[in-house]
Amino acid sequence: DNSAYDIDALDVNRDEDITAADSIAYKKIIAGTTDPKTYEASGTPTDVAFDTEEYALHVSDTAGKYLYLKAEHELEAPAYAVVVYKALAGGGIMPVYAGDKVADDKKAMVPVSANGEYNYFIISLPEGFDGEGISLDVTGCDLYIDSFGLFEDSSNIASFFKGREAERHLLASDNIEVTFTDEVMAKLDYANHTSYSNTTPANVLKMTVSENRIDPYVYLNVSDMGISADEYKYIVYSYRLPTSTSNYIEKAQLFLCSDGAPNPAETSSVKFDLVKSGQYVNEIVDLTGASWWSGDALGIRMDYFCNAQLEDTCYVRCVTFCKTLEDAEFYISTLSAN
């Protein structure tokens, strides 16, 4: 017999790399609900609760109980189960059972490292396994469970763990991500020689050179977003240029306005080379040495092309403010190229 807590868990077909859809599925986990469900059991783990600081399920017990991890959707032929965890106590060998019942013919003895860092373990599932999850013997354990997944093959399990690591960092960060929803589109105060719109449902800003190819730009007003230029020293500018973009295109320039430099000026701007790859490129703007970037952030004038031809187009999917370079790099690692 098992006692168990049922959590919505990430169910990933490993034939492909981690996708944006997987990240969305994971956010559904951490939003939530740890609906307790008892399987003909005499008791439950002493402590099972979602920890909002770790963004993980915290489990501790001292008396021979089990935790059942159930996938949100079934796979036709899962071959492996993976648990990403951090153990504070109870290291050694943990009995893990395929399915929701304790049975010796479905048991794996898994080494668990209680070093206070996130790790993962893999178990091979019995041939023909048609269950929805696995059961962990959590006797004497004090651990955090970050995520659980069923896999059809093992080829990308390591990248799954790396993706979880980045996602944990992202969730714990204070990044301010600006995507181009209708609400944000209303904050585009003025434009020069540019027609612009947002695509749905992706909320991507599309800017096209119109009327005159000299000095096209759009100004994004962020003055009411509560962004401190003293704290947020890195900006991720994520853009995409079609491969058909003209040969005039070489550089972009961002004029960054704050209390320290409230108006667009050459001395409070950054310029960088553009990449015409047809895929998203993530430019990190480092403002740690910019004394003029101070007080409250007011806005960004996006001179998306320094030189252009009529009808040249740029897509910007986000402008994200980060406190540290590590935050910016982890954030970028969660973005897809398309």
Side-chain angles (χ1 to χ4, degrees):
D1 289 342
N2 262 352
S3 60
Y5 275 66
D6 181 17
I7 62 170
D8 286 340
L10 188 58
D11 175 20
V12 182
N13 182 328
R14 297 318 318 154
D15 289 339
E16 300 178 0
D17 290 336
I18 297 297
T19 65
D22 296 333
S23 297
I24 293 169
Y26 179 69
K27 290 175 183 176
K28 183 175 180 181
I29 301 171
I30 65 103
T33 54
T34 54
D35 178 28
K37 187 173 183 181
T38 301
Y39 290 86
E40 305 169 0
S42 58
T44 61
T46 305
D47 181 18
V48 178
F50 184 78
D51 189 300
T52 55
E53 293 186 1
E54 284 284 339
Y55 296 96
L57 192 68
H58 185 208
V59 183
S60 61
D61 193 28
T62 57
K65 305 290 170 49
Y66 301 91
L67 180 78
Y68 177 55
L69 301 179
K70 179 182 175 184
E72 188 175 10
H73 304 290
E74 291 186 49
L75 289 180
E76 288 187 8
Y80 302 94
V82 176
V83 176
V84 178
Y85 72 94
K86 177 173 75 173
L88 306 179
I93 303 299
M94 174 188 288
V96 179
Y97 302 86
D100 62 354
K101 302 295 180 186
V102 175
D104 285 343
D105 63 341
K106 296 182 179 179
K107 180 169 70 173
M109 301 301 287
V110 177
V112 172
S113 176
N115 60 4
E117 297 182 359
Y118 277 99
N119 302 280
Y120 66 94
F121 64 74
I122 307 169
I123 68 165
S124 296
L125 298 169
E127 187 174 352
F129 177 74
D130 61 356
E132 297 176 294
I134 59 175
S135 298
L136 282 56
D137 184 338
V138 293
T139 300
C141 288
D142 184 359
L143 73 160
Y144 293 93
I145 296 177
D146 167 85
S147 52
F148 158 70
L150 296 180
F151 293 73
E152 291 184 342
D153 64 69
S154 61
S155 60
N156 287 314
I157 289 175
S159 64
F160 169 75
F161 175 68
K162 185 176 180 181
R164 300 293 354 108
E165 190 174 41
E167 188 76 11
R168 278 196 308 276
H169 188 102
L170 177 62
L171 290 165
S173 72
D174 296 320
N175 297 343
I176 299 175
E177 181 187 59
V178 180
T179 59
F180 293 90
T181 62
D182 289 343
E183 181 181 1
V184 171
M185 292 297 290
K187 300 180 187 297
L188 300 180
D189 282 355
Y190 55 87
N192 191 55
H193 300 156
T194 300
S195 61
Y196 59 87
S197 62
N198 62 334
T199 62
T200 55
N203 296 322
V204 171
L205 174 63
K206 177 183 179 181
M207 299 178 287
T208 300
V209 180
S210 62
E211 300 174 5
N212 188 315
R213 66 185 184 86
I214 303 301
D215 203 19
Y217 61 75
V218 174
Y219 183 85
L220 170 63
N221 187 337
V222 301
S223 60
D224 62 350
M225 295 185 185
I227 302 170
S228 170
D230 297 315
E231 294 183 15
Y232 288 87
K233 293 296 187 180
Y234 295 86
I235 298 173
V236 176
Y237 178 79
S238 184
Y239 72 92
R240 178 174 67 85
L241 303 183
T243 55
S244 59
T245 306
S246 77
N247 291 331
Y248 285 92
I249 303 305
E250 293 182 352
K251 294 181 181 291
Q253 189 169 12
L254 301 181
F255 292 82
L256 301 153
C257 302
S258 66
D259 287 341
N263 299 310
E266 195 73 23
T267 53
S268 54
S269 70
V270 293
K271 188 179 290 187
F272 51 87
D273 293 332
L274 291 169
V275 179
K276 297 183 290 185
S277 65
Q279 295 186 317
Y280 277 101
V281 177
N282 304 299
E283 186 75 26
I284 297 178
V285 178
D286 182 352
L287 298 169
T288 52
S291 59
W292 43 264
W293 181 249
S294 62
D296 290 333
L298 302 179
I300 300 176
R301 199 183 92 178
M302 297 178 286
D303 288 36
Y304 54 101
F305 299 136
C306 291
N307 292 293
Q309 196 172 52
L310 291 178
E311 303 303 319
D312 279 338
T313 297
C314 174
Y315 297 87
V316 176
R317 64 175 164 185
C318 61
V319 177
T320 300
F321 297 81
C322 305
K323 290 183 175 179
T324 68
L325 178 60
E326 185 182 32
D327 285 347
E329 290 174 340
F330 268 109
Y331 173 75
I332 286 174
S333 72
T334 68
L335 299 175
S336 66
N338 298 312

